[in-house]
Every structure is written in structure tokens, then in C-alpha cells.
């Protein structure tokens, strides 16, 4: 009973407001609801039909719920199609908790406001300005551009350039770390070239490692470098977050992911594993990635169990780990 | 009959009247909409904007060309309401202020895709507004040289201009050789291109204005009013007399048909503080009296603000 008392005072930021952490249930921690490449909303050949988008996402969230899912994190940040009013309506309608995120990246995906501001010289934004922008979204609410703020962001997510971090990517990472430190929401980093090196950037800001999710650790190069284990040893969360992606040479397949999970559990890092699919509910201006949000719970966890994962560890991975990460400190 | 696309429909060029050729209802760098420090209520937006346009109309202004590109806060439904309520024709643009204001969807696009975007906005309409673009905006990114993306946008604009007959207006005329080469390669006559901002304080010294005219291009003296005499001048400000002398070299040197003039003011800036006190009405309140004081006659003033813009803006096909 003491557990209940403490957990009710702890909350997670969702688009409908703070929710007691113990209510989260099974969480999909790295997914996309509506994902719009910046600028695609102005394209002559792209239609954004909100009613149609709602219908598709509601169906996918309902499927997620029917497979035991209770909470989904839209980890696309603040400038990739995030549509708060749509997410609020979806959450009310489907009963799935929706956590939306702040943050941006990599540099290529940023607007010119952050890269070539109207100053002479046009100095790109430093970490402290990104920290200010993101932290306000976690404390005062996320923005509907030029209109209003809504609910608070539940995660700050940043991404680095694949070929290697740019100076602005580093500012984004440091800004995210400062945001997490100042507001208590977790930071998600999608590494570019080297997961460990880039993780050290956010840890250098004195952010405790257990406030950091490192995404994309099922990338083949990261696996080959032993990054998943090293990230866990450093104390950060290891996100194997392309579950269901079987036909991309850049990533290991589900069977290899399963081996990774079991190895991490065996090494005592079961408390640091997160599983997700990076599925895209509706994609605009890019190729979709149409894996069901329920895929982890309905297909991958049974695979893990058939290979020897205990029920307790499965629950830990699906429920406890994401809850601990998402709980605002 | 010569026609021009405005946000409220296609009109005869004869109806344009006095034209401010390079202005902004409100400009902001892409992404500035996320930063609440710039937000204003709609009441405040209209309060800052409507009186300026009404004053422009009362001074005899007929047409306001908005040079705010895609992704920079261009808001055509808002422009339609402003035009309808103030009686000022507003011409909206397609295109981009520069490669560094094109968001990833467009930054990754091919010349062919970009030209289809521009042609669609000129011939079918901008988004769901039904309004057609009347000019194509292109420009040089920060840094002084045309980037690969800038060049892709220029080439797409050249194709769209050739296909639709709508003219091109540039942000900056520095590093114009690649631009002129692209326009020539695409078969676009250079009198369909207004090379803008030849007069600003930073770029005037490095802009080969005479060379541009020799190639057949038009020159935009379109940052009138951004002067070092202001209390808090922007970095691109220039002493008033320097700019006027520069302008007069062309106006009084037999090149009056090659120049257009404007103030590049924001009625209500979207993602920057703007420059206090600087409005489109600088043209009537300061520039035209200055021109008269310098001996420029009424006929010449009419050529600069009425005849040249009508010739330039008329859809040529």
C-alpha cells in the first residue's frame, strides 16, 4: 500500500493533463502519431484531411488498446506535425493516454529561425536558447503555433545528424538535457553517428543517466559496436525501438533484437530496456512506417517469452521501465 | 488585356495604380511561430496593419506586393480580408525568400517538383485559399553566395515564370552571375526579373547593379527607409543620402525604366522585432518628397511607381 501512496503523488504529463504514473500501464515509448515533414503542410500535392487522419489514428490506437496498450508517446517533437488538439480528441475518444513531446532535430529538420536568424552574423541558436524554448513547453504547455499553449510536454526529444553531430545538434542535445534537468521530464536522444559519445553530451550537463532514453540502439552499427550494453552500463535507458522492422539492412531484425533483450536481462539490465516500433500512424511528405502500435505487445513479447523471458521481466519492460522514465521528477 | 493575380482575383494591370513592389504584411523566419516571444493577438495584428494600409490607400496607394515566401508566415486568407476591408490590392507571391527559408520538404525537392509547386500556386491557387500568386520570390541565402538550393529554387522559378508569364522578384542581387546564367539557360527574358535589395547598406557595395542592367534585368531599390538616421537602425541600414544618390544615378542616368522602388516594411512583423516607425507609407511621406527635392518630375515618379510595376507585374504569355 505504501507503493500506491507514493505513486499517486507522481505524475506523467499527457495531452489531457498530468496522469498518476501508476495508471500508465503498457507504454509504447517511441512512436509517431501524425508525422509531417516540415514544409509538407504547404505542399500543393499534399492534403491534410483532419477527419481522415483522426479516423486512421483512432483505429490504430483502439487496436493498441485492445492488445493491452494504455499509453503512447508521440516522440516526434514540436516541429514535425505535432497536432495537440487532434491528440486531445484522440485520447478522449480512445481512452489511450497520449504523451506528446517537445524538442527538434537533427539540424536539417530545423526552421531557418534557429539556424540563420535575422542578426549579423546569423549565429545559430545556442543550447541555452533551445533549453528555454523546450523547458517552457514542459512547464507552461506546448504551443499551437502563434495561437496558444496546451498541455505540458511529457518528454524532450532530440536527434543528431547521421553522419555526425553538427554544432547545432550539440546545442539541441545540451538544451534537451538542461530542459530535463530543470523540469523533470525525461530526455530522448536519437543518436547520429555514435550513441555513447552523444550520450556523454547530455550527461555532461549533469543530467542523471536514468533520465535519458537512447533511441535507435537496434541499428546494426550500434549493435556491432556493443552500444546497447554500454548504454545500459552507463545507466541510461536502451531503446530497441524499431521492433517489427525486418527489411532494413541498417537495422537488426526482430530475432536479433530478441537476443539483445535476453542478453541485457541476463546481464542484469532488465530495468533499462525499452521496446517500441517508431511506427508512424499517418505520414505526410515521407514514406510511412506502418507497423501496428500493438506489435510489441502482440507479437514481439510472445517471441521473447518463447525464448525464455519471464512474465515479470516482460512486465518490467512494458510497464515499469517506461513509467519510471516518464514520471516527472 | 494585361492581367495581374491579386489575392482577391485576377485584375487588369490598368487597375493596379500606384504600386509598392516589395513589402510584407508580416514576415518571420520558419520556426519563429514556435517562439511565443513574437506572438500577438489577432486584434493586435489587425490594429497594427489596417491603419497602415488605409493610410497607404488614402495617400493614393493602389497595390501592395507582398514578398513573403512560402514558410515565412505567408497567410493568404488574412491578406484577402485585409485587401477587402482596406481597398488595397494585395499581390501574394509563391517561392521562397532564400534557400535558408525553405523547410526540409522543399529543401529536398527537385527543380521539377519546385516548379510544379510554383505553377500550381500561380495557376490553381495557394493552398485552399483559391487565391493565385502574382509573383515568384527567390533569393540568396545568408552567407553572400548562392547555395546549391538557392540555384535549384531559381531554376524552378525561371521555369514557372516562363510557363505562366508571372515575373520573379529576388531577395538580394549579390552573386548575380549564377542567377543570370540560370535565367538565360531557361529562356526567361531578364526584364521578367526584378533583382531586389540592390540598395541596402550591407549589399549595395557588392552588388554589380550596372552589370545587371546591361544583362537586361531590373533593379529593385526596395529598402528605402532602413536608414542609419533611425534611432535603432537594423544592420542593413544605409545613410539616406547615399541611397538616394545611388537611386538617382539610375533614375537621372537614362535608366528609369529599369528601376522599381519600395520600402520592404512589415505592417506587423511575425518573427522579429521589426523596425519601429518604418512603414510602407515611407514611400509617400519621405521618399517621394525627397525625389521632388532632387528634381525628379511627376512623370518620372509615375513611371517608377505606376508604369514600370504595371509592365513588370502583367502576366506575359
Amino acid at each position: 500500500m505504501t507503493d500506491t501512496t507514493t505513486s499517486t503523488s507522481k505524475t506523467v504529463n499527457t495531452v489531457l493533463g498530468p496522469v498518476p504514473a501508476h495508471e500508465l500501464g503498457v507504454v509504447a515509448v517511441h512512436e509517431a502519431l501524425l508525422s509531417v515533414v516540415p514544409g509538407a503542410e504547404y505542399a500543393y500535392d499534399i492534403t491534410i484531411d483532419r477527419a481522415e487522419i483522426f479516423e486512421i489514428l483512432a483505429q490504430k490506437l483502439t487496436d493498441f488498446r485492445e492488445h493491452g496498450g494504455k499509453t503512447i508517446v508521440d516522440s516526434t517533437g514540436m516541429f514535425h506535425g505535432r497536432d495537440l488538439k487532434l491528440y486531445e480528441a484522440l485520447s478522449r475518444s480512445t481512452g489511450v493516454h497520449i504523451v506528446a513531446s517537445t524538442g527538434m532535430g537533427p539540424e536539417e529538420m530545423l526552421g531557418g529561425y534557429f539556424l540563420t536568424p535575422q542578426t549579423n552574423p546569423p549565429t545559430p541558436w545556442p543550447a541555452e536558447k533551445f533549453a528555454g524554448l523546450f523547458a517552457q513547453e514542459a512547464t507552461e504547455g506546448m504551443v499551437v503555433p502563434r495561437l496558444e499553449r496546451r498541455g505540458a510536454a511529457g518528454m524532450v526529444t532530440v536527434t543528431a545528424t547521421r553522419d555526425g553531430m553538427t554544432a547545432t545538434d550539440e546545442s539541441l542535445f545540451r538544451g534537451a538535457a538542461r530542459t530535463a534537468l530543470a523540469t523533470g521530464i525525461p530526455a530522448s536522444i536519437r543518436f547520429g553517428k555514435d550513441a555513447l559519445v552523444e550520450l556523454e553530451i547530455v550527461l555532461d550537463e549533469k543530467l542523471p543517466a536514468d533520465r535519458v532514453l537512447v533511441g535507435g540502439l537496434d541499428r546494426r552499427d550500434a549493435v556491432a559496436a556493443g552500444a546497447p550494453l554500454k548504454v545500459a552500463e552507463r545507466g541510461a535507458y536502451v531503446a530497441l525501438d524499431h521492433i517489427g522492422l525486418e527489411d532494413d539492412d541498417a537495422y537488426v531484425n526482430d530475432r536479433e533484437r530478441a537476443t539483445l533483450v535476453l542478453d541485457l536481462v541476463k546481464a542484469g539490465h532488465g530495468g533499462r530496456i525499452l521496446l517500441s516500433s517508431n511506427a508512424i500512424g499517418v505520414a505526410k511528405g515521407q514514406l510511412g512506417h506502418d507497423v501496428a502500435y500493438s506489435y510489441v505487445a502482440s507479437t514481439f513479447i510472445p517471441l521473447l517469452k518463447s525464448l525464455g523471458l519471464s512474465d515479470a521481466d516482460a512486465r518490467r519492460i512494458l510497464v515499469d521501465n517506461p513509467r519510471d522514465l516518464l514520471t516527472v521528477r | 488585356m494585361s492581367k495581374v493575380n491579386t489575392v482577391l482575383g485576377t485584375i487588369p494591370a490598368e487597375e493596379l495604380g500606384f504600386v509598392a513592389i516589395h513589402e510584407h504584411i508580416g514576415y518571420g523566419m520558419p520556426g519563429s511561430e514556435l517562439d511565443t516571444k513574437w506572438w500577438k493577438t489577432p486584434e493586435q495584428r489587425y490594429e497594427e496593419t489596417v491603419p497602415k494600409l488605409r493610410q497607404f490607400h488614402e495617400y493614393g496607394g493602389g497595390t501592395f506586393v507582398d514578398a513573403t515566401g512560402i514558410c515565412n508566415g505567408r497567410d493568404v486568407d488574412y491578406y484577402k480580408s485585409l485587401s477587402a476591408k482596406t481597398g488595397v490590392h494585395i499581390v501574394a507571391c509563391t517561392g521562397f525568400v532564400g534557400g535558408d527559408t525553405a523547410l526540409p520538404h522543399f529543401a529536398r525537392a527537385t527543380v521539377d517538383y519546385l516548379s510544379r509547386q510554383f505553377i500550381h500556386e500561380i495557376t490553381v491557387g495557394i493552398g485552399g485559399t483559391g487565391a493565385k500568386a502574382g509573383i515568384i520570390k527567390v533569393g540568396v541565402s545568408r552567407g553572400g553566395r548562392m547555395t546549391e538550393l538557392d540555384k535549384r529554387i531559381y531554376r524552378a522559378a525561371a521555369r514557372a515564370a516562363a510557363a505562366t508569364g508571372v515575373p520573379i522578384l529576388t531577395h538580394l542581387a549579390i552573386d548575380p552571375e549564377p542567377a543570370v546564367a540560370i535565367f538565360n539557360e531557361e529562356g526567361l527574358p531578364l526584364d521578367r526579373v526584378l533583382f531586389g535589395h540592390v540598395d541596402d547598406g550591407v549589399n549595395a557595395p557588392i552588388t554589380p547593379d550596372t552589370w545587371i542592367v546591361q544583362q537586361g534585368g531590373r533593379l529593385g531599390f526596395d529598402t528605402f527607409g532602413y536608414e542609419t538616421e533611425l534611432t535603432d537602425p537594423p544592420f542593413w541600414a544605409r545613410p539616406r543620402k547615399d541611397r538616394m544618390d545611388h537611386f538617382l544615378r539610375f533614375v537621372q542616368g537614362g535608366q528609369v525604366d529599369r528601376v522599381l522602388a519600395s520600402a520592404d516594411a512589415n505592417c506587423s512583423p511575425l518573427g522579429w522585432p521589426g523596425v519601429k516607425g518604418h512603414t510602407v507609407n515611407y514611400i509617400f511621406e519621405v521618399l517621394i518628397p525627397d525625389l521632388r527635392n532632387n528634381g525628379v518630375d511627376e512623370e518620372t515618379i509615375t513611371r517608377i511607381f505606376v508604369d514600370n510595376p504595371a509592365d513588370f507585374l502583367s502576366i506575359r504569355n
Side-chain angles (χ1 to χ4, degrees), chain A residues 132-184:
Chain A
L133 186 76
F134 301 157
Q136 270 191 306
E137 288 225 309
T139 53
E140 294 169 35
M142 294 176 282
V143 301
V144 177
R146 292 198 183 104
L147 187 64
E148 61 183 339
R149 288 188 184 275
R150 307 292 294 181
M155 176 187 271
V156 54
T157 179
V158 287
T159 306
T161 304
R162 186 64 179 262
D163 297 340
M165 237 185 191
T166 66
T168 293
D169 290 343
E170 181 171 336
S171 298
L172 288 168
F173 273 49
R174 290 187 182 280
R178 292 177 201 180
T179 299
L181 206 50
T183 68

Side-chain angles (χ1 to χ4, degrees), chain A residues 181 202-208:
Chain A
L181 206 50
V202 296
L203 300 182
D204 182 54
E205 294 288 332
K206 310 300 175 210
L207 182 66

Side-chain angles (χ1 to χ4, degrees), chain A residues 25-96:
Chain A
V26 171
V27 180
V29 79
H30 246 196
E31 307 294 342
L33 294 173
L34 171 60
S35 180
V36 183
V37 172
E41 64 271 37
Y42 307 118
Y44 79 97
D45 57 346
I46 290 174
T47 307
I48 297 190
D49 178 336
R50 297 175 65 82
E52 180 191 66
I53 293 166
F54 183 92
E55 198 176 342
I56 294 167
L57 291 177
Q59 182 267 318
K60 292 185 177 199
L61 290 172
T62 302
D63 167 73
F64 176 61
R65 187 173 179 142
E66 283 167 1
H67 288 88
K70 282 197 76 179
T71 302
I72 192 163
V73 182
D74 175 74
S75 63
T76 60
M78 72 192 297
F79 199 53
H80 211 281
R82 187 182 70 186
D83 190 324
L84 298 167
K85 290 182 182 176
L86 188 78
Y87 299 167
E88 290 165 19
L90 279 165
S91 182
R92 278 195 299 267
S93 151
T94 65
V96 173

Side-chain angles (χ1 to χ4, degrees), chain B residues 199-203 223 225-230 232-240 243 275:
Chain B
D199 61 328
D200 86 49
V202 173
N203 295 295
T223 63
Y226 288 115
E227 8 188 78
T228 49
E229 288 85 347
L230 290 163
D232 188 16
F235 67 82
W236 61 91
R238 190 179 184 194
R240 187 190 290 185
R243 189 192 316 268
V275 173

Side-chain angles (χ1 to χ4, degrees), chain A residues 38-40 42-46 79 108-109 111-113 116-120 122 125 143-149, chain B residues 27 29-36 38-39 70-71 100 103-106 108 113 116-117 120 142 235 270-272:
Chain A
Y42 307 118
Y44 79 97
D45 57 346
I46 290 174
F79 199 53
E108 189 219 344
M109 301 307 282
Y113 178 68
T116 51
Q118 285 163 279
T119 52
N120 201 27
W125 269 34
V143 301
V144 177
R146 292 198 183 104
L147 187 64
E148 61 183 339
R149 288 188 184 275
Chain B
Y27 172 91
M29 287 293 280
S32 63
E33 68 271 27
L34 302 172
D35 192 341
T36 55
W38 308 115
W39 290 10
I70 304 169
C71 310
D100 52 6
L103 285 168
H105 178 75
F106 298 108
R108 296 166 170 180
Y113 182 88
R116 278 184 276 129
Q117 174 82 23
H120 185 95
R142 295 296 293 274
F235 67 82
L270 288 174
W272 64 300

Side-chain angles (χ1 to χ4, degrees), chain A residues 5 32 96 104 114 140 144 161 176 184 189-190 215 247 273 323:
Chain A
T5 336
V96 173
M104 285 186 278
F114 306 103
E140 294 169 35
V144 177
T161 304
I189 59 171
R190 287 182 168 90
D247 55 358
I273 302 169
R323 179 202 59 219

